[in-house]
């Protein structure tokens, strides 16, 4: 009997699945809809309907739709930073390996079914005002990404790491578009070779 009681007590004390907050549910729905359909084409009402909440509840968490767009982009930025950190960890300080892994990852991601381009480039295309909070969020993330690339190639001792980083960002942007038309291996290989060529020209 005591053993059975212990089992029941243990099961009752086990934590159940974490309850997803309303804010998180809104953000999850927005992430799916924004990326698939575009930022301006998705209304707040469409998100409210998807989540199954009232307008009052929605605006309690996000004062405006633009606030939600910024939160969506910040979430995307967090995910990309985690992905980049994982790549750098795998490379183990080897700059050439890091470049190869970057190219491989971008090739794979850009050729994945459902891929609709870089969410930050997409956002910039929809928000022309560079002083808008959305554009500032995009600019902050791209500044971070460029800085990561510059830091990554510095151990190779190129003559102009800042200029190379700018060119690598352009190559990455192009590869994201090429993913619509190519296959992962081709995109990855082409990006890696182009990156190596740019770096070698500054050695």
């Amino acid at each position: 009997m005591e053993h059975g009681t212990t089992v029941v007590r243990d099961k009752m004390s086990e934590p159940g699945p974490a309850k997803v907050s309303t804010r998180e549910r809104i953000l999850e729905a927005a992430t799916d809809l924004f990326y698939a359909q575009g930022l301006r084409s998705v209304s707040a009402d469409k998100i409210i309907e998807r989540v199954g909440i009232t307008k009052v509840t929605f605006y309690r968490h996000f004062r405006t739709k633009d606030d939600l767009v910024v939160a969506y982009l910040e979430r995307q930025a967090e995910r990309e930073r985690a992905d980049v950190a994982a790549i750098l960890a795998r490379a183990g300080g080897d700059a050439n390996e890091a470049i190869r892994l970057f190219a491989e990852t971008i090739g794979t991601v850009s050729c994945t079914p459902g891929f609709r381009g870089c969410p930050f480039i997409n956002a910039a295309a929809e928000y022309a005002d560079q002083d808008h909070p959305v554009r500032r969020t995009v600019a902050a993330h791209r500044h971070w990404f460029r800085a990561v690339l510059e830091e990554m190639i510095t151990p190779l001792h190129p003559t102009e790491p800042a200029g190379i980083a700018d060119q690598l960002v352009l190559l990455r942007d192009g590869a994201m578009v090429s993913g619509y038309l190519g296959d992962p291996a081709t995109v990855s290989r082409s990006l890696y070779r182009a990156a190596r060529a740019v770096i070698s020209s500054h050695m």
Side-chain angles (χ1 to χ4, degrees):
M1 178 66 70
E2 178 60 26
H3 177 70
T5 303
T6 302
V7 171
V8 172
R9 186 185 304 124
D10 288 346
K11 287 184 178 180
M12 291 178 64
S13 64
E14 289 177 358
K19 184 178 180 180
V20 179
S21 69
T22 300
R23 186 182 191 280
E24 185 66 17
R25 288 168 54 216
I26 295 171
L27 196 48
E28 284 285 356
T31 297
D32 292 341
L33 292 170
F34 283 157
Y35 189 70
Q37 301 178 23
L39 302 178
R40 293 198 180 277
S41 65
V42 175
S43 65
D45 286 342
K46 184 178 290 188
I47 296 169
I48 289 168
E49 181 180 359
R50 168 73 71 91
V51 181
I53 56 176
T54 66
K55 288 186 177 182
V56 171
T57 300
F58 176 89
Y59 289 110
R60 184 185 302 134
H61 292 280
F62 297 97
R63 187 173 57 84
T64 67
K65 179 190 161 185
D66 284 346
D67 289 340
L68 178 56
V69 173
V70 169
Y72 153 73
L73 291 173
E74 289 175 341
R75 163 181 274 205
Q76 296 294 84
E78 289 175 2
R79 290 176 174 175
E80 286 197 17
R81 294 184 185 209
D83 290 342
V84 168
I87 288 172
L88 295 178
R90 285 176 59 195
D94 184 331
N96 285 311
E97 178 65 3
I99 295 168
R100 187 191 70 77
L101 289 172
F102 262 101
E104 180 182 273
T105 301
I106 290 171
T108 299
V109 170
S110 64
C111 295
T112 300
F115 177 76
R116 298 183 63 83
C118 170
F120 298 94
I121 295 176
N122 293 346
E126 293 196 54
Y127 286 79
D129 182 3
Q130 297 199 21
D131 291 326
H132 192 282
V134 169
R135 285 299 294 268
R136 290 202 299 268
T137 303
V138 170
H141 179 69
R142 288 184 59 89
H143 176 77
W144 166 83
F145 183 65
R146 181 195 165 283
V148 166
L149 293 177
E150 183 175 350
E151 182 178 354
M152 182 181 69
I153 63 175
T154 295
L156 298 174
H157 306 293
T159 55
E160 298 179 45
I164 293 174
D166 287 336
Q167 294 177 66
L168 293 181
V169 171
L170 290 176
L171 289 174
R172 175 264 186 191
D173 291 347
M176 298 290 270
V177 175
S178 296
Y180 286 117
L181 307 173
D183 63 271
T186 300
V187 174
S188 298
R189 184 168 56 251
S190 298
L191 177 57
Y192 177 69
R193 289 176 176 173
R196 289 299 311 162
V198 168
I199 294 170
S200 296
S201 69
H202 291 80
M203 299 297 285

